[in-house]
Amino acid sequence: MSTLSQLKQRIDKLIETQGEESPVAAFIYTKEDVVQYDDDFNEVEIEDDMIIEDVLYNVEDTDWIYTQIQDSIDDELSHRS
């Protein structure tokens, strides 16, 4: 898992090497995305930072997401060949 500060550093390096106008696709999940809902469908904030960190770590560590993205890239490129 990364922090927003670490993410900013990575983005700054990408801008430095690829340029500010380089195209990008990104999915960013933060603690605001880790929510639960009560029986009335009201959002319930999770206050335990360890739970939030565990959830976000598992999201980042899920290979399925990367496989789906690569499949999408491969599919799109195969239509252009």
Side-chain angles (χ1 to χ4, degrees):
M1 184 179 63
S2 300
T3 64
L4 288 174
S5 178
Q6 291 168 328
L7 179 60
K8 182 182 181 306
Q9 289 173 1
R10 287 188 207 160
I11 291 171
D12 289 344
K13 286 180 184 179
L14 288 170
I15 290 171
E16 185 179 307
T17 59
Q18 297 183 25
E20 288 186 353
E21 300 303 318
S22 183
V24 64
F27 301 90
I28 299 172
Y29 288 83
T30 69
K31 65 182 183 177
E32 291 180 353
D33 299 300
V34 182
V35 296
Q36 290 181 313
Y37 296 91
D38 64 18
D39 293 337
D40 296 322
F41 304 105
N42 297 311
E43 194 173 289
V44 177
E45 182 179 350
I46 298 172
E47 296 183 16
D48 186 338
D49 284 344
M50 277 308 278
I51 293 172
I52 293 169
E53 288 179 19
D54 287 346
V55 169
L56 291 174
Y57 176 80
N58 286 325
V59 167
E60 183 178 54
D61 198 40
T62 302
D63 289 340
W64 181 84
I65 294 168
Y66 298 110
T67 301
Q68 294 302 309
I69 292 170
Q70 189 60 52
D71 287 349
S72 179
I73 291 169
D74 292 344
D75 187 49
E76 185 64 30
L77 291 176
S78 71
H79 289 84
R80 299 185 184 265
S81 299

